Amino acid sequence: MTTDRSVPEQAGTSGLLRAVTHFLGHEVAPEWRRAAEATPRHLFLPDRIWIDDDLTPCDRQQEPERWFAAAYEDAPVVTQLNDGREPADLTDALPSSSASAPAIVFAMLELLDLAAGMRVLEIGTGTGFNAALLSHRLGDVNVTTVEIDPAVAEAARSNLKTAGYAPAVACGDGTLGWVPEAPYDRVIATCSVERIPYSWVSQTRPGGAVLAPWQNPWICGGLLRLTVEDHGTATGRFTPDSAFMLMRTQRRDLFLFRDVVMDEHVPDECTTALSPWAVADSAFETQFALGHRLGDLWYAWHHDPHLDDVDTRLWVSTTSGDSWAAVDWDGTQNTERYTVWQHGPRRVWEEVETAHAWWLDNGRPGPDRLGLTVTAEGQTAWLDDPENAWPLP
């Protein structure tokens, strides 16, 4: 591993650790501080990166100081666009691989609760930085990391070698885990999922843990830590910290006006007293709970849709695209009723109303009161206790 550090690297790492400490609310544990000090983050970034919310390109050769500063900021750095096919127009850019913000990296490592000798499977190698930190803590022989993108996997191997680490880097579908090195004491994902692949549970020793960023179709964000039990069941709760790219194998190529709303649809009309902003422009904790209850519903805002008497429209659809609803606001103040259009076998806006009423009736729960149970047969969400559960679609 790297031990000869330059002054800029030392200063960058010190600043990064201060930012992580501020995020965590306490000092970084000594073992992770040592790992960070031995693992310069800039060694894991490609020469061309994209930074900030607008995905501004930054090239190491052209802007070395800006590039180096980005390497040691407590912020995510996008390292690949559109699965390696960078678009000519950045308005069409979709981040497909990144270096996560260091604060969430170390928060997740802390939640793993590692001990010497444990074996860890990482899903989503990315740049290799997280695998390097794990290797410093546990030793190369105890770390296996899986990356679905061959180019990303090869770059990670090179980054790890440069930094002095040699964990097992496998190229494959992370939803399958990695059988050759199983069983593991811990499984950690660095991409978000809408469903926990059961292979992660089955490849984890009883008493072990699975840690994964979570999202539901309604909202992105949340972190799930599951404990694996003797009989092949895993149960755990959510925390609100994290927002990661969705696992590639769980993506949907679904567009509102291409796949969902068709010209020949004749929707039913009704009204609602529930404000669309109360469910789709509310606090993260509210939307997370609603999404956890709604299961397979997602939404999209349509501002100024060029329709008479419609200022803003909220679309809600099933992920299958077979049922949808549109809720219209006419732009007037103090609106008491909103027009609703619904099409398909399911009355999806009524499902939203029911979920919102459930949220109110149960004391407005946030992620910390919600959990998930995973078995070989399926997955159930629950509120407060696994006995108070409902199936996820």
Side-chain angles (χ1 to χ4, degrees):
M1 66 193 67
T2 300
T3 55
D4 185 13
R5 304 288 306 284
S6 70
V7 171
E9 290 170 16
Q10 293 174 2
T13 299
S14 295
L16 185 151
L17 287 169
R18 284 195 297 272
V20 173
T21 295
H22 177 76
F23 177 84
L24 296 176
H26 56 77
E27 291 290 334
V28 178
E31 61 270 22
W32 294 122
R33 177 174 289 274
R34 290 191 294 270
E37 291 170 346
T39 310
R41 190 176 184 234
H42 77 277
L43 295 181
F44 294 85
L45 298 185
D47 287 345
R48 183 170 174 80
I49 59 176
W50 294 265
I51 57 178
D52 303 326
D53 292 340
D54 59 358
L55 297 177
T56 302
C58 180
D59 189 278
R60 184 178 189 176
Q61 305 304 319
Q62 298 175 5
E63 301 178 281
E65 293 183 0
R66 187 171 180 229
W67 182 94
F68 191 84
Y72 289 98
E73 287 182 4
D74 184 22
V77 174
V78 174
T79 55
Q80 186 194 70
L81 298 177
N82 296 53
D83 297 337
R85 297 178 292 275
E86 183 181 344
D89 186 347
L90 283 179
T91 60
D92 298 322
L94 294 172
S96 52
S97 191
S98 69
S100 302
I104 191 60
V105 168
F106 285 93
M108 290 178 68
L109 292 173
E110 185 177 271
L111 278 172
L112 276 184
D113 190 23
L114 295 174
M118 284 187 173
R119 295 175 55 77
V120 176
L121 172 64
E122 178 192 40
I123 307 297
T125 311
T127 66
F129 181 65
N130 198 65
L133 297 171
L134 287 166
S135 294
H136 187 279
R137 175 76 173 84
L138 299 172
D140 294 335
V141 70
N142 289 319
V143 178
T144 299
T145 180
V146 181
E147 171 59 49
I148 195 170
D149 188 309
V152 173
E154 186 56 38
R157 287 191 191 97
S158 177
N159 295 342
L160 286 158
K161 182 178 180 180
T162 299
Y165 298 102
V169 180
C171 184
D173 181 355
T175 60
L176 304 177
W178 191 251
V179 173
E181 301 296 331
Y184 306 96
D185 298 287
R186 299 288 188 269
V187 174
I188 178 173
T190 60
C191 51
S192 66
V193 294
E194 292 182 355
R195 294 184 66 84
I196 297 292
Y198 188 70
S199 62
W200 299 358
V201 176
S202 65
Q203 293 173 30
T204 302
R205 291 188 178 96
V210 174
L211 180 66
W214 180 267
Q215 70 178 68
N216 53 55
W218 196 263
I219 192 169
C220 176
L223 195 60
L224 175 65
R225 190 183 193 278
L226 299 167
T227 299
V228 178
E229 301 168 5
D230 290 332
H231 43 80
T233 296
T235 302
R237 291 179 179 270
F238 292 94
T239 60
D241 301 320
S242 82
F244 284 72
M245 297 174 192
L246 185 63
M247 176 175 270
R248 292 191 189 187
T249 53
Q250 294 190 8
R251 292 176 185 169
R252 297 183 187 88
D253 183 24
L254 188 68
F255 291 88
L256 188 64
F257 297 115
R258 185 194 72 187
D259 306 309
V260 178
V261 182
M262 305 297 176
D263 291 341
E264 63 270 21
H265 288 174
V266 181
D268 300 325
E269 180 182 359
C270 62
T271 64
T272 182
L274 179 61
S275 164
W277 287 274
V279 295
D281 192 29
S282 49
F284 166 80
E285 291 78 7
T286 303
Q287 293 196 61
F288 186 87
L290 291 175
H292 206 54
R293 188 71 177 181
L294 291 167
D296 65 340
L297 297 188
W298 60 282
Y299 71 84
W301 286 102
H302 193 176
H303 300 287
D304 190 19
H306 303 294
L307 297 169
D308 292 341
D309 300 323
V310 181
D311 180 273
T312 302
R313 170 171 282 180
L314 175 69
W315 293 95
V316 179
S317 172
T318 58
T319 54
S320 63
D322 63 353
S323 299
W324 58 262
V327 185
D328 292 341
W329 177 56
D330 61 9
T332 60
Q333 299 299 315
N334 303 316
T335 303
E336 294 183 358
R337 305 291 299 184
Y338 301 85
T339 301
V340 180
W341 307 91
Q342 296 190 94
H343 175 81
R346 289 168 55 181
R347 307 286 84 179
V348 296
W349 186 252
E350 293 171 19
E351 293 180 27
V352 173
E353 291 178 317
T354 299
H356 188 261
W358 166 87
W359 179 71
L360 292 174
D361 291 344
N362 284 280
R364 304 170 185 249
D368 59 336
R369 290 180 57 194
L370 296 165
L372 193 78
T373 297
V374 182
T375 69
E377 290 72 39
Q379 306 189 18
T380 54
W382 44 267
L383 174 68
D384 295 331
D385 188 285
E387 297 299 319
N388 184 21
W390 59 93
L392 285 182

